[in-house]
Amino acid sequence: MSERILIDPNPQKLLLLGNEAIVRGALEAGLDFFAAYPGTPSSEILDAMLSLADSVGIYAEVSVNEKIAFESCLGASWSGLRAMTSMKHVGLNVAADSLMSSAAMGTRGGFVSVVADDPNMWSSQNEQDTRLFAKFANVPLIEPSSPQEALDLTKRAFELSEKYGTLIILRTTTRLSHTRGDVRTGFLPQKIIEGKRRVGEFKKDPSRFVSLPQNSRRLKVEHASVVKRLEKEEGASFIELEGDEEAKVGIIASGTAYGYVKEALEWMGLSKVRIAKVLMPYPLPRNPLKEIFSNVDRILIVEELEPVIEEQAKLLAFEEGMRVEIHGKDFVPRDFELSPEKVAKAIASFMKKDLPIDFEELESKGKEASSLAPPVPPTLCPACPHRNTFYAIRKAASPRSIFPSDIGCYTLAFFPPLKTVDTTVDMGASISIAHGISRSSKEEKGKAVVATIGDSTFFHTGIPALANAIANGSDFILVVLDNGTTAMTGHQPNPGSTEGTKRRLSIEDIARAMGADYVEVVDPYDIKSVEAAVRKAMDVRGVRVIVARRDCALKVISDKRRRGESWNVYRVNEDLCTGCKVCINAYGCPAIKWNRDKRKAYIDPELCWGCGGCAQVCPYNAIEVMK
């Protein structure tokens, strides 16, 4: 779907992703300012905002990291504008310092922070529950369960933020962010339709905006009072009760878990259940829950990941002296993403009912069917410049060398045959880990530390780590994998991109200005030059920086396809191929396959994107351009 449909001024019914519904909700709320760093599953929000910004008169930017984005929005809010940022859950860790420090300072213009959690870690290094962060910072958090609610609650979040002067966190999960559903849109405000950009005005108030201890102590108490008032005045509208009013069994659910509960009850044919859908997990609305507690004997709380609602509900029941029996994580899995099957099993066990479907048998048959398909290991794209760089690093460095790496598609070099990733922790950690290893390890000949980091990650949190390493006299090689974009999340620009930024920053100039002991720029499509640069860097002491620069192959090929251009395709000359398998076992391009009958390699022309790296690694010159 074109993002232009999101700015149709008339109400209509649309099939929208959860993330698209959030964008529409923000526009209907009269958004003025947007800043974010991309991260799956939140990236579509940023992409849409960048695409629509000029048309609807909002300021939108790709910030270098989530902390910068959060603080930029905070400044806009304090200037009286409506501001929104979006990030994935680990991005909130980066912005946590800003969140914790500013939570009690409040807002002027509405400020909404969308945080997309990733249960099951489909594209993340860890699994965490943003609702705990909301409780930690004492910031109200609301959670939609459908794309329609994503739109409605985004608008509501801006209203609440301004009414109570507090940041509002809008939490989604992967399943909601990427689920399409029917959405009834509302009206766009005139300023959005006309594309008129509003200008804010910051009014000084040092007693509120300067976090000196004497201010912070007062603001903390005032903010706590605001959150309690919001819960008391608005709570009833954030709990929706449904089901059998006479039932003695209740289920409380939030987010996508609510949909799973409805589906499971339908499967099982259970109707004598009272259901409470929670739209604001923190602070949990007390009065509506007391109503359900007083009418049922037993309750099951179905929520994804941590027992955030469960713990608040048990405390509420204890404080109110209510004798309702409350269950949650003793039946519902705490780890990984929920599913209708998992929820059905939990409800069946809780209600002592038989399941109408034998899920164990289904799962067994699924595994049996999956085993028939050949395994396809995750790998870098055909023609990916990173493959050539990692191949060259492995050729230059001894097997005893250590390879700290970072967050990005290049983490796939962990897998065979490249196997050039020994550590990955979080954004920017490749450099810090390399520093720690180099400063704590005994020098051994041939045991180099070669770290790798992407260009976007370098700007995100790599620069402070590099400054620290250089200032502390560290000793390792850093290879910056510069493909000119933030590839993994959908090709958003970063400060080093040639397009999408007002002024391009040079990674090599930054490294030189910081005082790196050796700086060189190489082309990954020339494998020998990369290998030579790594070998040369090994003869230098200190922090050595190699920038391996070549545009992302996926983006290059997409652009060529749009322009109707073709590219060279390579083939294996069977007369020269000896079947040594170097191109498969050491290089590993997915376009190169093995012919069992002929015992020779061959290249799938549909997958070859023409980088020519395979021709450079073949020891028998058996790979050539197809004529």
Side-chain angles (χ1 to χ4, degrees), residues 600-623:
K600 293 179 186 294
Y602 70 97
I603 295 176
D604 183 343
E606 296 299 319
L607 293 178
C608 178
W609 291 354
C611 73
C614 54
Q616 297 178 54
V617 305
C618 176
Y620 300 99
N621 297 319
I623 299 179

Side-chain angles (χ1 to χ4, degrees), residues 242-528:
E242 58 184 278
D244 188 346
E245 295 183 9
E246 305 299 321
K248 293 300 175 188
V249 175
I251 295 178
I252 297 174
S254 70
T256 52
Y258 165 76
Y260 299 152
V261 167
K262 296 282 286 183
E263 195 169 347
L265 291 176
E266 189 176 331
W267 279 352
M268 300 165 69
L270 299 175
S271 58
K272 292 188 176 302
V273 181
R274 190 69 165 147
I275 302 171
K277 178 168 67 175
V278 176
L279 299 171
M280 186 166 70
Y282 184 82
L284 191 65
R286 294 173 67 93
N287 288 333
L289 285 185
K290 282 195 286 185
E291 180 186 336
I292 190 171
F293 287 177
S294 62
N295 291 317
V296 300
D297 299 327
R298 301 175 74 224
I299 278 185
L300 177 67
I301 297 174
V302 183
E303 56 188 326
E304 209 158 36
L305 301 182
E306 299 301 313
V308 175
I309 296 174
E310 180 183 340
E311 289 179 356
Q312 293 180 85
K314 285 178 175 175
L315 181 61
L316 170 63
F318 174 79
E319 289 177 344
E320 297 292 334
M322 307 184 87
R323 299 181 64 82
V324 62
E325 190 180 311
I326 299 175
H327 294 270
K329 291 302 172 188
D330 46 345
F331 288 96
V332 181
R334 187 171 184 165
D335 297 320
F336 311 133
E337 188 177 38
L338 290 181
S339 65
E341 293 83 359
K342 289 180 181 178
V343 172
K345 285 180 186 176
I347 293 174
S349 178
F350 170 69
M351 299 183 73
K352 298 182 174 57
K353 300 285 185 183
D354 292 330
L355 281 168
I357 302 170
D358 188 340
F359 290 116
E360 277 73 22
E361 185 183 354
L362 278 179
E363 189 176 344
S364 173
K365 287 183 176 176
K367 286 181 179 175
E368 189 179 333
S370 298
S371 68
L372 299 176
V376 181
T379 186
L380 296 164
C381 297
C384 176
H386 301 339
R387 172 179 290 99
N388 294 5
T389 303
F390 282 117
Y391 178 83
I393 291 172
R394 282 220 70 98
K395 289 271 288 180
S398 76
R400 298 174 62 242
S401 296
I402 302 164
F403 305 111
S405 192
D406 226 294
I407 305 293
C409 47
Y410 46 89
T411 312
L412 292 170
F414 164 83
F415 295 101
L418 297 171
K419 297 176 70 173
T420 323
V421 172
D422 290 329
T423 71
T424 301
V425 181
D426 56 22
M427 299 282 278
S430 59
I431 303 175
S432 313
I433 296 285
H435 168 62
I437 291 172
S438 70
R439 298 299 291 171
S440 60
S441 302
K442 186 174 67 175
E443 282 189 33
E444 294 180 48
K445 190 175 181 182
K447 189 177 179 181
V449 177
V450 184
T452 48
I453 189 171
D455 48 335
S456 186
T457 313
F458 176 80
F459 288 109
H460 181 278
T461 34
I463 291 176
L466 182 61
N468 179 72
I470 293 172
N472 285 290
S474 199
D475 184 28
F476 61 88
I477 298 170
L478 172 66
V479 180
V480 183
L481 306 158
D482 181 5
N483 61 6
T485 188
T486 313
M488 193 174 187
T489 51
H491 297 121
Q492 295 84 6
N494 64 61
S497 302
T498 53
E499 55 185 28
T501 50
K502 292 180 175 59
R503 185 175 176 182
R504 177 181 172 273
L505 304 186
S506 162
I507 294 171
E508 56 271 28
D509 286 352
I510 291 170
R512 290 190 185 102
M514 283 185 171
D517 298 280
Y518 169 91
V519 179
E520 188 162 345
V521 181
V522 293
D523 179 1
Y525 277 8
D526 182 352
I527 295 176
K528 285 186 179 176

Side-chain angles (χ1 to χ4, degrees), residues 31-84:
L31 182 72
D32 298 300
F33 189 100
F34 180 85
Y37 182 81
T40 305
S42 71
S43 299
E44 291 85 0
I45 300 173
L46 171 59
D47 292 341
M49 290 296 183
L50 292 175
S51 171
L52 301 174
D54 290 341
S55 301
V56 297
I58 63 171
Y59 175 83
E61 70 170 34
V62 187
S63 303
V64 296
N65 65 35
E66 296 82 357
K67 181 177 186 291
I68 305 298
F70 185 98
E71 291 163 353
S72 300
C73 289
L74 190 62
S77 168
W78 285 353
S79 300
L81 299 182
R82 286 193 163 183
M84 187 168 89

